[in-house]
Amino acid sequence: MKKKKKVFIDGAIGPDFIAESIAKHQTKKEIGAHEIFLGQVRADQKGTGIVQAIEFSAHEEMAEEKLSEIRELAFDKFNLSCMHVYHSINKVEAGQICFYVFASSAHRKDCREAVSWLVDTIKKEVPIFGKEILENGQHHWKSNTEVL
Amino acid sequence: MKKKKKVFIDGAIGPDFIAESIAKHQTKKEIGAHEIFLGQVRADQKGTGIVQAIEFSAHEEMAEEKLSEIRELAFDKFNLSCMHVYHSINKVEAGQICFYVFASSAHRKDCREAVSWLVDTIKKEVPIFGKEILENGQHHWKSNTEVL
Amino acid sequence: MNIRIRYFGQVAELTGTNEEIKNLDIGCDLNDIESEIRSKYELDNTYYRIALNQNITDNKETMLNDNDEVAFMPPFAGG
Amino acid sequence: MNIRIRYFGQVAELTGTNEEIKNLDIGCDLNDIESEIRSKYELDNTYYRIALNQNITDNKETMLNDNDEVAFMPPFAGG
């Protein structure tokens, strides 16, 4: 039975939340390197309007199961001390953070490669959906197949 | 005349400082991705003792000049919105953060590659020195030529 | 047998619902249910993949069992 | 001419000082000053590189000028 960790955060991921999770690792004195990726909602032009927010939804049970598999694979592939993944659900305004990947290791190579692999794999394999709300009241469905 | 940015921070780099610098980027709505590297002082075994802290020193003028060149090169090589580099000077305890590299871009590839290149280049080319203070009162001089 | 059908993202927008329960005859496969849903909600021009019990599958000949979950999922957009 | 000599990290520990000013004859090069410092502080088994006016150089035949800065720097350890 795999342990499921909390993944989804209601709304934007705040800088304070990130600071707290960094601070928690200061007791782990075998760690020499942390690598962090943050995804931020871009105010892109989409058709006739500009993105004002993204409303995220997900197949939550499947996403958590998939993330738990991805997490296990990452611990197998890379020599990591810690790994954390958070994604927003519901509305996140442009300029706010919706995706947070954090890995820690003794040396920088492991956490660097892990974060890069985690971000790419999660974008490709985890069932999260995004409705881009435009300023003109219209919307557009975000798709990771458009830009990789 | 190149603009020199503040690089050196007296003592450890606090999680709150990192949170503040993340928060400052939430007005930049063309940013879609932030990549962050944090170097943390490891309580390594060195000879007969365990590292308790590192006392950093630097040729500060040369380091700032070098970092300003590295920063310009990074803006040429990668398509970045922002880039920030901070390094501790003086004493940093094991478990605390001594090195902070932050890059932001529209898409993840640019900031990811930039941070990777920045961290490697700064470790190799910037005149910063580290005296590892061991718990037994002895010390050891850190060298980036030992582990790359 | 009862099959739980779930819709996500743009597909849910087109179906107007997040889920429904269908009562099907034993012996039905994924093809049967997909054809019914495609024509009911006019999904012919919509890109989606199907997950059977939370696993993406392209094998539409898979036989369905009572209480299976069939999810219609548009392109992923996490991150 | 006056040359400012600076020591860093482990080299400063061995010399017991961070910097000193040397008065040298015109025509001296980096070799001259390095030899003097190496023997004065017994640096033969110490790894360092030299920066002349904040640029690392391996060309020890470079002639020195008044007010030049010569820095003895052990391996970098940032990060």
Side-chain angles (χ1 to χ4, degrees):
Chain A
M1 185 68 194
K2 282 170 230 151
K3 191 180 150 228
K4 298 250 171 47
K5 291 177 72 175
K6 178 181 152 70
V7 169
F8 289 107
I9 299 212
D10 189 13
I13 299 170
D16 290 348
F17 179 85
I18 296 161
E20 266 172 53
S21 76
I22 294 168
K24 276 183 199 153
H25 291 79
Q26 307 211 306
T27 53
K28 303 204 174 181
K29 299 188 182 173
E30 79 284 6
I31 292 175
H34 306 287
E35 186 92 21
I36 293 174
F37 176 83
L38 303 173
Q40 184 165 303
V41 174
R42 264 197 323 271
D44 276 352
Q45 178 86 31
K46 288 289 163 87
T48 57
I50 289 168
V51 174
Q52 190 180 270
I54 299 182
E55 223 171 84
F56 288 102
S57 59
H59 188 319
E60 293 198 30
E61 311 90 292
M62 182 174 159
E64 280 167 7
E65 177 63 32
K66 195 76 206 166
L67 273 166
S68 138
E69 288 169 27
I70 290 172
R71 191 177 286 118
E72 273 189 35
L73 259 173
F75 273 117
D76 287 347
K77 287 167 78 82
F78 309 100
N79 191 10
L80 298 178
S81 298
C82 290
M83 179 197 328
H84 303 278
V85 173
Y86 299 97
H87 201 290
S88 295
I89 196 96
N90 301 325
K91 198 170 179 184
V92 180
E93 309 281 339
Q96 292 189 311
I97 289 160
C98 59
F99 185 32
Y100 172 27
V101 178
F102 184 127
S104 311
S105 52
H107 300 283
R108 67 189 183 279
K109 188 169 175 287
D110 295 293
C111 61
R112 173 191 290 174
E113 291 177 359
V115 167
S116 167
W117 180 85
L118 283 164
V119 170
D120 291 353
T121 305
I122 291 166
K123 282 181 178 253
K124 207 163 54 190
E125 298 187 5
V126 178
I128 297 170
F129 312 99
K131 184 180 179 178
E132 295 172 319
I133 315 291
L134 309 184
E135 287 175 326
N136 62 12
Q138 298 191 301
H139 68 264
H140 176 267
W141 287 93
K142 181 172 182 272
S143 164
N144 288 344
T145 54
E146 288 172 17
V147 180
L148 278 181
Chain B
M1 185 68 193
K2 281 171 229 150
K3 190 179 151 229
K4 298 249 172 49
K5 291 178 71 174
K6 179 181 151 71
V7 169
F8 289 106
I9 299 213
D10 189 13
I13 299 170
D16 290 348
F17 179 85
I18 296 161
E20 266 172 54
S21 76
I22 294 169
K24 275 182 200 154
H25 292 79
Q26 308 212 306
T27 52
K28 303 204 174 181
K29 299 187 181 174
E30 79 285 3
I31 292 175
H34 306 287
E35 186 92 22
I36 293 174
F37 176 84
L38 302 172
Q40 184 166 302
V41 173
R42 262 197 325 271
D44 277 353
Q45 179 85 33
K46 288 287 163 87
T48 57
I50 289 168
V51 174
Q52 191 180 270
I54 299 182
E55 224 172 85
F56 288 102
S57 58
H59 189 318
E60 294 197 30
E61 310 92 291
M62 181 174 159
E64 280 166 7
E65 176 65 32
K66 195 76 207 166
L67 273 165
S68 139
E69 288 169 27
I70 291 171
R71 191 178 286 117
E72 274 189 33
L73 258 173
F75 274 116
D76 287 347
K77 287 167 77 80
F78 309 100
N79 191 10
L80 299 177
S81 298
C82 291
M83 179 197 328
H84 303 278
V85 173
Y86 299 97
H87 200 290
S88 294
I89 196 96
N90 302 325
K91 200 170 178 183
V92 180
E93 308 282 338
Q96 292 189 310
I97 290 161
C98 59
F99 186 31
Y100 172 28
V101 178
F102 183 126
S104 310
S105 51
H107 300 283
R108 67 189 183 280
K109 190 170 174 285
D110 295 293
C111 61
R112 174 191 288 174
E113 291 177 359
V115 166
S116 168
W117 180 83
L118 283 163
V119 170
D120 292 353
T121 305
I122 291 165
K123 281 181 178 253
K124 209 162 52 189
E125 298 187 5
V126 178
I128 297 171
F129 313 99
K131 184 178 177 179
E132 295 172 318
I133 314 291
L134 309 184
E135 286 176 327
N136 63 12
Q138 298 191 301
H139 68 264
H140 177 266
W141 287 93
K142 181 172 182 273
S143 163
N144 288 344
T145 55
E146 287 170 19
V147 179
L148 278 181
Chain C
M1 57 183 182
N2 286 325
I3 305 297
R4 183 187 184 193
I5 316 204
R6 300 180 69 180
Y7 307 109
F8 291 91
Q10 187 166 24
V11 180
E13 183 180 49
L14 295 166
T15 61
T17 181
N18 290 320
E19 73 173 86
E20 58 189 313
I21 305 288
K22 286 257 170 222
N23 190 274
L24 296 182
D25 293 336
I26 288 170
C28 281
D29 64 9
L30 270 178
N31 256 330
D32 297 322
I33 194 106
E34 188 183 11
S35 313
E36 187 182 330
I37 301 297
R38 277 178 90 92
S39 70
K40 179 173 176 192
Y41 297 109
E42 299 176 357
L43 300 181
D44 276 349
N45 294 317
T46 306
Y47 180 84
Y48 61 81
R49 292 171 80 192
I50 285 180
L52 175 60
N53 300 323
Q54 306 187 9
N55 290 301
I56 298 280
T57 180
D58 291 318
N59 179 4
K60 303 293 171 65
E61 262 96 65
T62 309
M63 302 301 287
L64 295 173
N65 295 302
D66 195 29
N67 294 318
D68 274 354
E69 176 190 298
V70 176
F72 285 71
M73 300 194 300
F76 298 167
Chain D
M1 57 184 181
N2 286 326
I3 306 295
R4 182 185 183 195
I5 316 203
R6 300 180 69 180
Y7 307 108
F8 291 92
Q10 189 167 22
V11 180
E13 183 181 49
L14 294 167
T15 61
T17 182
N18 291 319
E19 72 173 88
E20 57 190 312
I21 306 289
K22 285 256 170 224
N23 191 275
L24 296 183
D25 293 336
I26 289 171
C28 280
D29 65 9
L30 271 178
N31 256 331
D32 298 320
I33 193 106
E34 189 185 9
S35 314
E36 187 183 331
I37 300 297
R38 276 177 90 93
S39 72
K40 178 173 175 193
Y41 297 110
E42 300 176 358
L43 299 180
D44 276 349
N45 295 316
T46 305
Y47 180 84
Y48 62 82
R49 293 170 81 191
I50 286 180
L52 175 60
N53 299 323
Q54 307 187 11
N55 291 300
I56 298 279
T57 179
D58 291 319
N59 179 4
K60 302 295 171 62
E61 263 97 66
T62 309
M63 302 301 288
L64 295 173
N65 295 302
D66 195 29
N67 294 319
D68 274 352
E69 176 190 298
V70 176
F72 285 71
M73 300 196 299
F76 298 168

